[in-house]
Amino acid sequence: MTLPLRLIPLLEQYDFACERLLSRLAGPLMDSGNGVDIGVVPLGDDEYLWEPAPGCWSVRRRDDGPGERATALAGAGAWGRDSADSPHPFPPPFTTLAWRLSHLSEMLTLRADHTRGSRSLTREGYRTPGDAAGAVAAFESASAAWREALLSADEAALDTIGYSTYPNGSDAEDEFVDIVWWVNQEVLHHGAEIALLRDLYDARAS
């Protein structure tokens, strides 16, 4: 299928954002921003779960229960992500690299499923990895799944409200092209946050 012209720049932006984030997490090299490759130490478990401020929301062992101001650990399995029912705590808790990466992977996995899959996956059933390597692999898989969903969209789909039935966003009210744009912004801004947290972790002992 020929890609709609409107989708091409959005897909290119998405690919760039995902490739940059994966390189920043797993290495062995990443573009410094000016075309020079720099070495990257792969994300480790200590850094993945590092809490740089008091009262962080993070990914935790289910047996340990939720963190401060959280009321639940979202998802299934041995690990979950700090969460709370609406209204959420204010001011919002600072979230760890693990929390942000889990949020991205869950969103991409579920949106892909509710666009081009079974349309049945839920937050309650999503399994958050408790280790860095698992989390990076989960993001890689999730980002590829969303990309495949994008490749299924034609011009009519881009204009269709509810083409994605993802239940945790505005998908039921927005045209699909707006959802595609929004997902790009999520990857871009959380990717930048994750990159900054990596820099702060490296600098903490300086």
Side-chain angles (χ1 to χ4, degrees), residues 19-20 22-24 26-32 37-41:
E19 179 183 357
R20 193 168 177 84
L22 282 168
S23 296
R24 187 69 180 86
L29 297 172
M30 67 165 289
D31 186 334
S32 65
D37 284 338
I38 58 174
V40 173
V41 176

Side-chain angles (χ1 to χ4, degrees), residues 66-67 70-74 81-84:
T71 58
L73 290 173
R81 190 176 68 250
D82 282 326
S83 63

Side-chain angles (χ1 to χ4, degrees), residues 1-190:
M1 184 181 76
T2 302
L3 286 178
L5 291 179
R6 289 179 292 162
L7 182 57
I8 292 173
L10 290 169
L11 184 61
E12 290 175 347
Q13 182 186 59
Y14 176 75
D15 286 345
F16 174 80
C18 291
E19 179 183 357
R20 193 168 177 84
L21 177 53
L22 282 168
S23 296
R24 187 69 180 86
L25 289 168
L29 297 172
M30 67 165 289
D31 186 334
S32 65
N34 61 4
V36 177
D37 284 338
I38 58 174
V40 173
V41 176
L43 181 69
D45 291 346
D46 287 346
E47 182 181 0
Y48 175 64
L49 296 171
W50 176 54
E51 298 193 16
C56 281
W57 276 13
S58 189
V59 167
R60 306 184 190 279
R61 293 184 186 276
R62 197 163 301 281
D63 289 347
D64 294 337
E68 186 177 331
R69 295 199 291 161
T71 58
L73 290 173
W79 294 77
R81 190 176 68 250
D82 282 326
S83 63
D85 294 331
S86 187
H88 292 166
F90 187 85
F94 192 93
T95 54
T96 64
L97 188 158
W99 194 101
R100 296 169 203 236
L101 191 56
S102 170
H103 163 66
L104 276 180
S105 298
E106 178 202 88
M107 178 200 67
L108 292 169
T109 298
L110 267 62
R111 270 211 164 95
D113 177 70
H114 284 270
T115 300
R116 191 65 175 168
S118 67
R119 299 181 183 248
S120 64
L121 296 185
T122 65
R123 282 182 171 174
E124 292 74 22
Y126 182 79
R127 291 180 175 267
T128 292
D131 66 292
V136 173
F139 175 75
E140 187 170 17
S141 175
S143 60
W146 177 243
R147 191 181 197 279
E148 285 300 311
L150 295 181
L151 296 179
S152 75
D154 57 15
E155 283 287 355
L158 291 179
D159 292 328
T160 299
I161 296 172
Y163 184 74
S164 164
T165 61
Y166 176 68
N168 306 116
S170 61
D171 302 47
E173 292 84 37
D174 291 337
E175 294 178 352
F176 187 61
V177 69
D178 293 331
I179 300 301
V180 175
W181 177 89
W182 174 252
V183 170
N184 281 11
Q185 305 320 300
E186 285 282 283
V187 176
L188 286 163
H189 92 253
H190 285 306

